[in-house]
Amino acid sequence: DSAEKKIILSGFCSDKGVARNGGRIGAAKAPDAIRQALFKLTPDPVEYHSFERVFKLIGDDGNFPANETEPEESQVVLGKWTASILQKKQFPLTLGGGHETSYGHFLGYVHAQKPVHILNWDAHADVRPLNDGKAHSGSPFFQALEHPSDLCASYTVAGLLRHSLSAAHLQWMQKKKNRYYFKGELNNRLIEHIYERYTGPVMVTMDIDALDQTIAPGVSAPAVNGMSLQTWLYAAYQAGKCRNVCSFDLVEMNPEFDRDNQTARVAALTIWYFLKGFSRRLSL
């Protein structure tokens, strides 16, 4: 019964936004692929009881068949679901789907009328303008920052690749006073600092294409010289541990281009590390 749980899982089966952004189709199938890999993982044997406690607090609300409607409509549905979870003081954990998932995620705070800081772990800034007035997987944070509610308190992106970021997008972020960190700057202490500086609610989104394509080949937009797995997992762990983090999504995993379920297993391990961090949050 989800009403008795602390963390509520959902899947946002969408890749129409990826198609609009010129990416590889297939991310709509990711939520179930990630679940299948996640459910095969065991609790940490050294911290078994704290892990077991977290597992018992997880409910699953199933999938949103988001490709059955246009992204703008499905994002509103996701936003209303996210708001309902936040208002019950539960923790929404959403498996995407393309990165258009994150704008629906943000709309949850709009519907709940709660200001939120956005932290995006990504190789790309995803602040592209709309295409002919339509949302896509590259526009979620442009939309959040431009939203008339002004409920996006700040935007930070970490893991950027210099060869995947245009000068125009960098200048736009600088004008907006957004924080940004390139992949080469990241280390464990900086990751801790990024989380420690928040004093209000934070929504975290992790785009798995931030990882190098040798680690995560099954993504919408593969990265060359992307983030190391160790750095990525530490960012997920700290997201779980940080009390100001109120919601989380994992996006852009693409089973159509995966190899031996490698990326699905990496995505599942990302959630595992997030839950490990969450177990520390409960014990502090």
Side-chain angles (χ1 to χ4, degrees), residues 59-74:
D60 193 339
D61 275 2
N63 291 336
F64 294 97
N67 270 0
E68 294 182 5
T69 59
E70 292 304 305
E72 292 79 6
E73 298 173 63
S74 57

Side-chain angles (χ1 to χ4, degrees), residues 50-108:
S50 61
F51 238 78
E52 182 184 39
R53 182 185 175 195
V54 170
F55 286 165
K56 289 179 177 180
L57 293 175
I58 300 173
D60 193 339
D61 275 2
N63 291 336
F64 294 97
N67 270 0
E68 294 182 5
T69 59
E70 292 304 305
E72 292 79 6
E73 298 173 63
S74 57
Q75 286 167 330
V76 170
V77 173
L78 177 59
K80 290 180 178 178
W81 175 84
T82 302
S84 72
I85 302 302
L86 292 171
Q87 288 165 340
K88 289 183 283 191
K89 301 189 183 306
Q90 295 173 311
F91 190 103
L93 195 165
T94 303
L95 305 176
H99 220 154
E100 63 266 27
T101 303
S102 292
Y103 184 62
H105 181 174
F106 167 72
L107 288 179

Side-chain angles (χ1 to χ4, degrees), residues 4 48 53 63 69 81 87 100 110 121 134 153 171 183 205 225 229 242 257 275:
E4 299 178 1
Y48 180 82
R53 182 185 175 195
N63 291 336
T69 59
W81 175 84
Q87 288 165 340
E100 63 266 27
V110 174
W121 296 93
K134 295 183 178 181
Q171 290 163 6
K183 188 244 351 184
T205 173
N225 194 30
L229 184 58
C242 178
F257 295 89
L275 296 173

Side-chain angles (χ1 to χ4, degrees), residues 34-42 261 265:
I34 297 170
R35 281 189 182 91
Q36 289 171 14
L38 179 63
F39 297 160
K40 293 178 181 178
L41 301 182
T42 62
N261 294 322
R265 287 185 284 118

